Amino acid sequence: IRDDLVTGVQTCALPIYVENSNLNLTKPIYWKKGNNLVYLHPTTDGKIITVYGNIRPAEAQKIVFSLKR
């Protein structure tokens, strides 16, 4: 993940997964696991994007939307 405002500087190294099953989700869900957030976001093409790390839900959502561009 890179910051659009700072060229060539890595801002985080979060595990991000794209899976072929949307688990029948119709909207994003998230929960805390220790200090980390597990954020699941279904896509319109039947996949699910998972973001995991020490971030807030709004940050995870921003990451997902940047991937969907």
Side-chain angles (χ1 to χ4, degrees):
I1 307 300
R2 301 209 181 265
D3 189 327
D4 292 337
L5 303 176
V6 182
T7 304
V9 176
Q10 186 171 348
T11 58
C12 66
L14 297 172
I16 299 171
Y17 306 96
V18 178
E19 303 172 67
N20 287 325
S21 173
N22 70 3
L23 305 173
N24 294 319
L25 294 179
T26 58
K27 61 182 182 177
I29 62 170
Y30 61 89
W31 62 91
K32 294 291 276 185
K33 182 177 180 182
N35 289 332
N36 293 313
L37 177 82
V38 180
Y39 182 88
L40 306 178
H41 186 97
T43 65
T44 57
D45 62 354
K47 296 180 181 178
I48 189 161
I49 299 172
T50 304
V51 179
Y52 177 81
N54 189 6
I55 59 173
R56 295 186 310 265
E59 292 170 315
Q61 184 178 37
K62 184 177 177 181
I63 290 167
V64 168
F65 286 124
S66 73
L67 295 173
K68 292 173 66 176
R69 281 194 250 164

